[in-house]
Amino acid sequence: MTTTVRTRVAIVGAGPAGLLLSHLLAQSGIDSIVVDQRTREQIESTIRAGILEQGTVELLDTLGDFSRARTVGTRHNGIELRFAGHGHRIDFPGLVGRSVWLYPQHEALKDLIAARLAGGQDLRFGVTVERVEDNDIPRVIAKEADGQELIIEADFIVGADGSRSVVRPAVTGTSQGGYFREYPFAWFGILTEAPASAEELIYSNSPDGFALISQRSPTVQRMYFQCDPDADPNALSEEEIWGMLQARVPGTTLTEGPIFQRDVLRFRSFVAHELRKGRIAIVGDAAHTVPPTGAKGMNLAVADVVLLNRALQALLLENDERLIDGFADAALHRIWKAQHFSWWMTSMLHSTPEATEFDHRRQLGELRSVVESEAGSTFLAEAYTGWPLPAA
Ligand code: PHB
């Protein structure tokens, strides 16, 4: 049995990009169907990013009471860069009049899912997309959780289905078509049940390598230290992990607690060669990946969606193709700035296996140029809190 359904925009992926796009489209009366391979429980419980730019929080505000970013999340007015035995605070409101919010991505996803379902969104979990086509009519060919074939016919298809996107090959021609860079290190990440060790995030460049002290809630903390990309997350004891972290943030005594999750995050930079072909576009991690050091991943997905929403409104409501024709260039403008910022933060804070003493001293010089100069600190604060978004 095959079920065929029709909608204006078929959205593959119920992550932040797909759900936010369905919300923005619905605000201008454009209906969509969102499908995701995962269950709602999986989506709502996978621990991902933690930092939202101010513009992202303002967009989530349009969910009304469904957004808990400002109530459950915490406003952060700065970060600390630590190196050569000292901490240096970057004061975001003082430099650029903006802030960021620490609000875990899975909490934002709970808000988005609840808001979309309350708004009558056709949102289907457990749907595996096999392929998409753009022949006479754009079509998504998928299997529902019970094995039945589902065909979605639409005016436009959006791939918001993450770094292993099934939609991407229909846009780029091959599954990997893009600009790509790998890094010779990864992050060893932990979640620990403990009170916060610092009020704001600490990004530390130490002789032993990078560490980041982040948070999730008053009782759960997220911390990372630089490791080998092939490291086995289960090879270290809890005592060894605390030893690694503590050595990398001299000057702060970390509050230890039980470690209940550990993972190794590989670092990649990727930008797809094409973001749109005909009536199919890709956004978010399907279109690009950044290393996590600049906290740009989810925020960049949101920026793609703001642009695509405007382009789809013009296309579907006014039959005006100009914005959709310009979508890729407009999105790539910000994507490459975010690629640079994420690469820059990464390269300034980590040690590479082949780094010489010259490289290490040059890095300290670079960090001093940032923290001792208002221009340098402002550059960081502008990028970290997020360049202005176009109106949604
Ligand atoms: C996190 O809390 O997971 C986090 C925060 C800041 C980053 C990266 C990750 O730059």
Side-chain angles (χ1 to χ4, degrees), residues 83-84 205 348 358-372:
F83 57 93
N205 170 316
M348 183 166 64
F358 173 87
D359 296 324
H360 179 59
R361 286 167 194 248
R362 183 199 51 73
Q363 246 182 357
L364 297 182
E366 188 174 12
L367 282 158
R368 290 194 175 105
S369 300
V370 173
V371 303
E372 291 173 7

Side-chain angles (χ1 to χ4, degrees), residues 220-240:
V220 173
Q221 312 309 319
R222 182 80 162 137
M223 302 182 190
Y224 305 92
F225 61 91
Q226 170 179 357
C227 69
D228 189 88
D230 297 318
D232 170 4
N234 296 311
L236 295 179
S237 68
E238 295 204 6
E239 206 182 327
E240 287 169 319

Side-chain angles (χ1 to χ4, degrees), residues 60-74:
L60 292 175
D61 287 343
T62 65
L63 300 174
D65 288 344
F66 285 101
S67 177
R68 297 166 300 141
R70 291 179 194 269
T71 49
V72 174
T74 319

Side-chain angles (χ1 to χ4, degrees), residues 48-51 187 201 203 212 214-216 222 224 292-295 384:
R48 302 282 300 267
I51 293 287
W187 278 3
L201 272 58
Y203 289 79
L212 169 60
S214 182
Q215 306 156 0
R216 278 296 173 273
R222 182 80 162 137
Y224 305 92
T293 322
Y384 198 96

Side-chain angles (χ1 to χ4, degrees), residues 55-118:
T56 300
V57 172
E58 286 164 2
L59 271 171
L60 292 175
D61 287 343
T62 65
L63 300 174
D65 288 344
F66 285 101
S67 177
R68 297 166 300 141
R70 291 179 194 269
T71 49
V72 174
T74 319
R75 182 185 190 131
H76 279 227
N77 288 330
I79 57 168
E80 185 185 306
L81 292 182
R82 185 166 304 186
F83 57 93
H86 297 281
H88 306 263
R89 183 164 188 266
I90 308 287
D91 168 12
F92 295 151
L95 291 161
V96 293
R98 297 167 75 77
S99 300
V100 295
W101 270 257
L102 187 109
Y103 187 52
Q105 177 169 323
H106 67 278
E107 297 294 340
L109 285 169
K110 286 183 198 166
D111 298 351
L112 278 159
I113 290 172
R116 291 316 302 133
L117 290 176

